[in-house]
Amino acid sequence: MDGVSMALALAFGLVLLISVSLSGLAARTVLSTALLFLVAGALIGQGGFGLVDIPSNGAFVTGLADLALFTVLFTDGQRASLPSLKEGWRLSGRALGLAMPLTMVGIAVPTHFLTGLDWTTSFLIGAILSPTDPVFASAIVAGRTYRYGCAGCSTSNPA
């Protein structure tokens, strides 16, 4: 096993251990354990400490992205029950059909004018930052609300 593979395996093991340890906390908040993997990847990659160098257009990244997408969609599909989907489709539809495009445009326009990026890149940034997180969508279907830590910012659910 070469140094890059060893660094990836070690990083994956550590982040997996941390995310399993924090999964109970993550289940009670809007944050997901996938965020830990994103942060770890940024830290060990070229944007952080530079421990590994994986070309972004390589077959490894494409295969990993396909596997991650399949896993997220499959696990969320397994957790969603048919009755909850029938009851929560209107809220999910509003989130995906109204809130996501409005957020995407609301991020893309200032990004274009403030940074000078072209429209395609600005809309890509808007799409990335739009509320499409599976945790967010599954919370809508399940009817869960979350409490925030600031005064006056809590949801309508007092429990």
Side-chain angles (χ1 to χ4, degrees):
M1 189 179 260
D2 63 357
V4 173
S5 299
M6 184 60 86
L8 284 174
L10 180 62
F12 177 75
L14 286 172
V15 175
L16 184 63
L17 181 66
I18 292 169
S19 66
V20 167
S21 300
L22 297 176
S23 64
L25 176 65
R28 293 187 303 267
T29 64
V30 175
L31 299 176
S32 66
T33 55
L35 182 63
L36 289 173
F37 284 95
L38 179 68
V39 170
L43 287 176
I44 68 169
Q46 290 304 105
F49 298 119
L51 298 175
V52 295
D53 183 23
I54 300 172
S56 60
N57 59 355
F60 176 74
V61 173
T62 303
L64 191 61
D66 289 343
L67 179 65
L69 179 63
F70 171 77
T71 304
V72 166
L73 294 176
F74 182 78
T75 54
D76 282 347
Q78 289 293 330
R79 277 187 278 182
S81 67
L82 190 57
S84 66
L85 286 174
K86 286 180 179 178
E87 292 174 13
W89 73 270
R90 285 188 177 99
L91 288 174
S92 299
R94 276 189 263 165
L96 292 175
L98 185 63
M100 187 186 68
L102 287 176
T103 305
M104 185 173 65
V105 170
I107 292 171
V109 171
T111 299
H112 173 74
F113 289 113
L114 292 174
T115 65
L117 294 172
D118 60 296
W119 283 108
T120 305
T121 306
S122 298
F123 273 100
L124 181 62
I125 291 171
I128 290 169
L129 297 176
S130 293
T132 58
D133 185 29
V135 173
F136 172 71
S138 63
I140 289 175
V141 171
R144 293 189 303 259
T145 55
Y146 297 100
R147 193 179 273 245
Y148 297 98
C150 65
C153 296
S154 65
T155 61
S156 61
N157 185 3

